[in-house]
Amino acid sequence: MSKQTRISLNSDGIRQLLQSAPLQADMERRTRAIAAAAGGEPDFEARVEVKGGSSRLGRVMGYVATATMEGRRAAATDNALIRALDAGRG
């Protein structure tokens, strides 16, 4: 016979975790590493923001974007951003 366990989530605790300073710092480190591996500044820039989502909890989100025409060209012809993703895995 299996015994069922009920779990009650603490929404406020989850929100605090998803928006915490350590999580923001980790996301900043990862996005900077990806931007550097793609070619670095000024061609690529890393951004980290706290945004809401469909769950209304909000969370830290990070992304790397092209900032110059050279960055756009490297992303389009050499897949620079896709090739740089592994740099953010550590």
Side-chain angles (χ1 to χ4, degrees):
M1 249 189 227
S2 69
K3 183 177 179 181
Q4 292 185 0
T5 303
R6 292 190 178 260
I7 297 174
S8 177
L9 298 178
N10 180 342
S11 296
D12 290 335
I14 293 172
R15 181 179 301 111
Q16 288 176 359
L17 177 66
L18 291 175
Q19 296 177 359
S20 68
L23 192 59
Q24 289 181 26
D26 185 55
M27 186 65 70
E28 182 75 30
R29 179 186 62 79
R30 291 172 187 268
T31 55
R32 285 182 189 266
I34 293 168
E41 296 210 9
D43 297 333
F44 297 93
E45 65 181 10
R47 297 181 191 162
V48 175
E49 302 171 356
V50 176
K51 291 194 168 200
S54 60
S55 65
R56 297 184 186 162
L57 288 176
R59 63 197 58 174
V60 175
M61 299 179 83
Y63 59 95
V64 178
T66 58
T68 64
M69 185 54 82
E70 290 80 18
R72 289 183 195 95
R73 195 172 294 121
T77 60
D78 301 330
N79 292 323
L81 286 173
I82 294 170
R83 293 175 187 266
L85 283 176
D86 281 339
R89 294 187 195 265

